[in-house]
């Protein structure tokens, strides 16, 4: 079995997503709505698993972080204090010839489809004939109105990040969680940005999900926690199977830093298009709590009863995107292999815990009582893990289908099963088949799912 080199292209991953119902363009029957996507069954399962693994790392595997789910609509003064009303802008330029719109800071790396049609050999900004406007600052926040009366008093914004919902709840959480710095508040939820140039399927969209955690620490410890969270977050991706060679930590230069940050590093993944950000880890210092304390008049500080010390904690923030991470896991898992019989199989080598379906159960033939046995196996596995029953088409076709959605194990009921109560257990990556007792399946598979995983991609 041989793996072809460099088989992954964005087009292939997008085609598989569509073919197998992971991700579709949204509003398709109305011609689509630019850069919005819907997740189908397997996409929902995969993205849910990605978020669950993030929660597991934040909540289950440690005891210094608590969870929060704040509202998408928040008081408009939140965005004044955070600096978003004033400064959450991108520089935008328009091409007067083709009417396309670009981010001025992305002109060099623009998607190939955005070539000015008037001058096919030239990219906007590159030739003397291109007719670009001056860059204008464009606020990325979506505005809406709250309540039945549409006046300036009722303006609200769809949150462009989940982080601010955490800062404005700092006091509540401190009071009810009985935590003291260093401790964190974690949140997963939708954010909205009116991006000028979205693209590459779900990599950059106007509506997306973030997984953000704000870690509050004594200011003197900020640097050490910054270092530790960079490593922690890098390791999360590799533990879940991303090839370490395709992942890097890139420290921002001073001129790249946001207004609130004294240091930021991005976890970047080598997508087919380029190295691109999956997550940012920032040392936000005391900026946010100070800004909200000033704007709201509330004290947002920690009082240490032991030492009598009172201080505003510094904040270390790992901010990840659930859709981007999901896309990276898909791209990294995608493989095309030539089998011994010359057939090419497309397979998603997803970490079993990320795989949408853990086990597919199939009767070899649709008779002789095999479907009934297979269905009873499904019933016994259902409460343990995501299980699918599949009886349509040849066994080879069914295996191919499960390979394409990344199912790590297939159980096949055959003639022998009727005689001795054993089934075939096929492994997605090694293609080995072993005979196991039906009664052993739930514990055996649950055990394999819980085990640390060695990625076959590294072999
Ligand atoms: P970019 O530079 O790519 O616009 P950013 O630095 O503005 O991203 P952050 O504000 O740090 O992004 O948001 C944290 C994470 O949220 C990003 O690393 C990314 O995974 C995700 N994210 C941000 N914007 C989008 C978007 N438009 N679509 C999908 N995911 C996004």
């Amino acid at each position: 079995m041989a793996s072809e080199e460099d088989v992954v292209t964005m087009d292939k991953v997008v085609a598989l997503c569509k073919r197998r119902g992971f991700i579709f363009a949204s509003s398709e029957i109305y011609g689509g709505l630019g850069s919005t996507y819907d997740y189908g069954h397997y996409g929902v399962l995969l993205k849910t698993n990605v978020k669950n693994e993030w929660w597991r790392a934040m909540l289950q595997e440690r005891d210094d972080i608590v969870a929060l789910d704040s509202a998408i609509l928040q008081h408009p003064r939140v965005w004044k204090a955070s600096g978003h009303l004033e400064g959450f802008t991108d520089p935008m330029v328009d091409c007067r010839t083709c009417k396309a719109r670009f981010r001025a800071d992305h002109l060099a790396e623009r998607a190939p489809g955005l070539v000015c049609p008037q001058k096919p050999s030239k990219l906007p900004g590159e030739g003397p004939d291109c007719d670009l406007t001056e860059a204008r600052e464009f606020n990325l926040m979506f505005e809406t109105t709250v309540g039945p009366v549409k006046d300036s008093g009722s303006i609200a914004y769809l949150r462009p990040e989940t982080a601010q919902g955490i800062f404005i709840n700092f006091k509540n959480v401190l009071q009810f969680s009985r935590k003291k710095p260093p401790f964190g508040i974690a949140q997963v939820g939708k954010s909205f940005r009116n991006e000028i140039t979205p693209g590459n399927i779900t990599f950059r969209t106007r509506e997306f999900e973030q997984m953000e955690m704000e870690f509050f620490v004594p200011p003197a410890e900020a640097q050490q926690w910054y270092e530790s969270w960079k490593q922690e977050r890098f390791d999360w991706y590799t533990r879940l199977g991303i090839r370490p060679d395709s992942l890097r930590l890139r420290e921002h230069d001073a001129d790249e830093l946001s207004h609130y940050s004294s240091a930021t590093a991005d976890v970047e993944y080598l997508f087919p298009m380029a190295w691109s950000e999956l997550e940012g880890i920032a040392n936000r210092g005391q900026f946010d709590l100070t800004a909200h304390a000033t704007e709201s008049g509330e004290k947002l500080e920690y009082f240490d009863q032991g030492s009598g010390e009172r201080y505003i904690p510094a904040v270390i923030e790992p901010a990840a995107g659930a859709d981007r991470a999901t896309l990276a896991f898909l791209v990294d898992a995608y493989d095309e292999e030539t089998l011994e019989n010359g057939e090419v199989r497309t397979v998603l080598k997803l970490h079993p815990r990320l795989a949408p379906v853990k086990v597919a159960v199939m009767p070899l033939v649709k008779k002789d009582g095999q479907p009934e046995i297979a269905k009873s196996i499904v019933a016994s596995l259902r409460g343990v893990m995501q299980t699918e029953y599949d009886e349509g088409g040849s066994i080879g076709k069914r295996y191919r289908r499960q390979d394409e959605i990344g199912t790590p194990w297939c159980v096949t009921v055959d003639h022998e099963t009727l005689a001795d109560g054993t089934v075939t257990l096929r492994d997605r990556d090694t293609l080995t088949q072993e005979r196991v007792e039906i009664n052993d399946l739930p514990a055996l598979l649950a055990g394999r799912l819980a085990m640390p995983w060695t990625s076959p991609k590294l072999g």
Side-chain angles (χ1 to χ4, degrees):
M1 169 168 88
S3 247
E4 257 105 278
E5 289 297 313
D6 300 327
V7 286
V8 197
T9 63
M10 221 50 185
D11 285 348
K12 286 185 182 182
V13 175
V14 171
L16 183 139
C17 283
K18 189 160 184 183
R19 187 164 71 242
R20 294 300 179 191
F22 280 81
I23 302 172
F24 316 102
S26 181
S27 311
E28 228 169 8
I29 61 167
Y30 290 103
L33 172 69
S35 292
T36 52
Y37 292 91
D38 298 338
Y39 285 77
H41 181 64
Y42 296 126
V44 171
L45 290 171
L46 174 61
K47 188 159 77 147
T48 302
N49 293 340
V50 170
K51 290 185 285 185
N52 285 343
E53 287 305 314
W54 188 87
W55 279 122
R56 178 205 297 274
M58 292 294 159
L59 301 182
Q60 197 178 320
E61 291 173 356
R62 43 196 306 152
D63 54 13
D64 53 0
I65 298 179
V66 295
L68 178 77
D69 187 2
S70 70
I72 286 173
L73 294 174
Q74 295 163 21
H75 197 288
R77 281 169 69 197
V78 170
W79 309 110
K80 180 166 177 262
S82 68
H84 283 83
L85 266 181
E86 183 75 17
F88 194 54
T89 57
D90 275 338
M92 174 179 81
V93 293
D94 293 297
C95 175
R96 291 190 186 92
T97 320
C98 70
K99 310 289 180 220
R101 179 164 280 184
F102 311 102
R103 255 171 79 167
D105 55 333
H106 279 186
L107 274 179
E109 55 191 72
R110 205 180 34 262
L114 293 177
V115 173
C116 177
Q118 304 299 316
K119 298 279 168 198
S121 60
K122 296 265 193 302
L123 296 174
E126 287 182 353
D129 303 319
C130 293
D131 192 10
L132 295 183
T133 61
E134 288 293 308
R136 282 175 291 147
E137 290 301 323
F138 175 76
N139 196 302
L140 302 182
M141 282 200 294
F142 280 102
E143 219 177 273
T144 185
T145 46
V146 172
V149 183
K150 196 167 179 178
D151 62 29
S152 63
S154 59
I155 283 183
Y157 302 91
L158 302 189
R159 68 179 175 200
E161 61 175 35
T162 59
Q164 299 304 323
I166 296 179
F167 298 127
I168 60 174
N169 277 293
F170 174 74
K171 215 174 149 178
N172 284 334
V173 175
L174 201 57
Q175 196 175 343
F176 294 110
S177 69
R178 299 166 66 211
K179 295 276 181 218
K180 55 184 266 189
F183 81 101
I185 306 176
Q187 161 151 249
V188 173
K190 284 252 166 135
S191 293
F192 303 82
R193 298 181 186 178
N194 199 0
E195 300 277 4
I196 297 168
T197 46
N200 283 310
I201 187 166
T202 49
F203 179 82
R204 187 184 303 286
T205 51
R206 299 194 170 100
E207 174 183 344
F208 54 96
E209 265 186 293
Q210 290 188 304
M211 310 185 287
E212 296 195 293
M213 195 276 291
E214 308 302 321
F215 203 70
F216 300 91
V217 303
E221 295 176 18
Q223 183 60 28
Q224 101 198 32
W225 281 108
Y226 173 61
E227 296 301 329
S228 121
W229 275 111
K230 278 194 298 189
Q231 195 56 48
E232 190 64 38
R233 293 305 305 150
F234 184 91
D235 293 347
W236 182 79
Y237 292 95
T238 57
R239 272 205 310 277
L240 288 171
I242 299 267
R243 293 173 180 86
D245 287 355
S246 302
L247 206 62
R248 70 181 185 193
L249 265 172
R250 190 183 65 80
E251 204 79 39
H252 281 204
D253 294 332
D255 60 354
E256 275 182 274
L257 291 176
S258 318
H259 58 287
Y260 53 75
S261 165
S262 61
T264 297
D266 288 342
V267 177
E268 294 186 335
Y269 177 68
L270 185 55
F271 279 98
M273 63 268 187
W275 283 100
S276 312
E277 172 184 336
L278 290 183
E279 165 161 0
I281 298 100
N283 180 351
R284 301 178 72 116
Q286 296 163 302
F287 177 86
D288 305 275
L289 290 182
T290 308
H292 285 298
T294 309
E295 180 68 25
S296 68
E298 292 277 345
K299 279 204 171 78
L300 300 179
E301 52 189 25
Y302 174 69
F303 176 61
D304 188 332
Q305 284 177 332
S307 67
E309 201 190 348
R310 190 180 287 282
Y311 63 88
I312 298 174
V315 172
I316 307 302
E317 172 195 76
D323 306 270
R324 268 192 207 178
T326 300
L327 188 61
F329 286 122
L330 274 169
V331 167
D332 206 74
Y334 186 99
D335 201 6
E336 287 171 9
E337 285 177 351
T338 308
L339 303 175
E340 271 159 16
N341 65 5
E343 240 181 73
V344 174
R345 74 161 182 158
T346 302
V347 54
L348 287 185
K349 293 182 171 172
L350 288 167
H351 189 297
R353 285 216 301 266
L354 293 183
V357 174
K358 312 304 178 195
V359 54
V361 185
M362 9 183 126
L364 185 63
V365 291
K366 239 193 310 186
K367 55 181 188 183
D368 301 338
Q370 291 183 17
E372 289 73 20
I373 298 177
K375 283 177 189 165
S376 74
I377 296 174
V378 169
S380 73
L381 289 172
R382 229 175 222 144
V384 185
M385 59 188 65
Q386 191 70 35
T387 307
E388 196 167 276
Y389 174 74
D390 191 357
E391 64 173 22
S394 75
I395 195 76
K397 267 217 176 100
R398 283 179 271 165
Y399 284 152
R400 285 301 89 78
R401 181 172 171 276
Q402 295 299 332
D403 286 343
E404 283 209 358
I405 62 167
T407 306
W409 302 293
C410 287
V411 166
T412 307
V413 172
D414 55 20
H415 314 293
E416 259 180 86
T417 312
L418 303 168
D420 64 6
T422 66
V423 287
T424 300
L425 179 60
R426 171 191 184 265
D427 183 283
R428 175 196 70 198
D429 303 324
T430 61
L431 295 181
T432 51
Q433 305 207 0
E434 53 187 315
R435 276 322 276 194
V436 301
E437 301 259 345
I438 289 177
N439 293 339
D440 292 345
L441 274 173
L444 180 81
L445 293 179
R448 288 195 186 170
L449 201 55
M451 273 186 335
W453 187 64
T454 311
S455 167
K457 297 179 276 185
L458 302 175

